Amino acid sequence: MIIWSVTNQKGGVGKTTTTVSLAGFQALLGKRVLLIDLDPHGSLTTYFFQQTATASDSVYALFRQPAICRKNLLPLIRSAGIKNLFIIPSSPSLAALDGKCSGQRGQGLILTRWLDLAREQFDHVYLDCPPVLGVLMVNALAACNHLVIPVQTEYLAVTGLKRMRETIRMIESSKGIRIAHTIVPTMYDQRTNASVNSLGMMKQSFRRELWDGFIPEDTLFREASFYNKPISHFALTSRGARSYHRLAKDLTRISHAH
Ligand SMILES: Nc1ncnc2c1ncn2[C@@H]1O[C@H](COP(=O)(O)OP(=O)(O)O)[C@@H](O)[C@H]1O
Ligand SMILES: [Mg+2]
């Protein structure tokens, strides 16, 4: 099982779209895939369902009653309505989690421990993170084998990336771990200076961690979400789908290399 965390401390950069798209391609390959929606806004959950879940049916339960959830993994996991694709939904109550968990011992490893038990059931797990450095993001960074950082190709992106890099370093040093990561330029529009220049800046500042492709701006992503389908299951030959397909293959190769 490979655990991927899709994270950036900025909202609206393509985290949820990247989560769904990568998961879609793995599911299409016949891999068993689990999505976990860690964002209180629940965009990943509402990608597939009409609404977010209640506290007891969501990932919130996993954090508030970890011992019970470890005894029986199944109740929280639902089908996403796509073959091989499963999801643990979010609920708005997740927004209050930081206040409830702060200071509790072992609170940063709740997800790691739960996922240890699900190891046999899934080939890939994707953690869709909120844009906030709190207990949810800390859990995701501790649990993942590989971090995927979608970055919108616009001017403020590089500043945001520096903040993300500081967060990674902080968690690496507090937990004594190394977090492998790949930066993915998103919403690239070659007709705009903002896209072209900011991609150039990323190449200068983050060459080692930067994926050598980019995800183009493509209106079909919004349409796919309207039909509750990953782009792989909606418009397989679109430009957006082809670039996420390549990303999925490249990431699989990188993850086998470490
Ligand atoms: N490559 C893309 N081209 C066009 N629209 C995109 C692309 N990636 C994401 N979007 C749209 O941008 C909005 C924000 O994306 P989302 O993945 O929800 O970001 P985040 O999870 O980081 O907040 C959504 O409406 C999504 O459909
Ligand atoms: Mg999101």
Side-chain angles (χ1 to χ4, degrees), residues 221-239:
F221 286 114
R222 278 204 188 90
E223 229 176 291
S225 73
F226 179 78
Y227 290 101
N228 311 108
K229 286 187 175 154
I231 195 81
S232 50
H233 293 64
F234 180 74
L236 184 59
T237 56
S238 61
R239 284 184 325 133

Side-chain angles (χ1 to χ4, degrees), residues 10-26:
K10 203 165 175 318
V13 297
K15 291 184 294 297
T16 299
T17 305
T18 299
T19 304
V20 173
S21 304
L22 291 175
F25 278 106
Q26 296 297 351

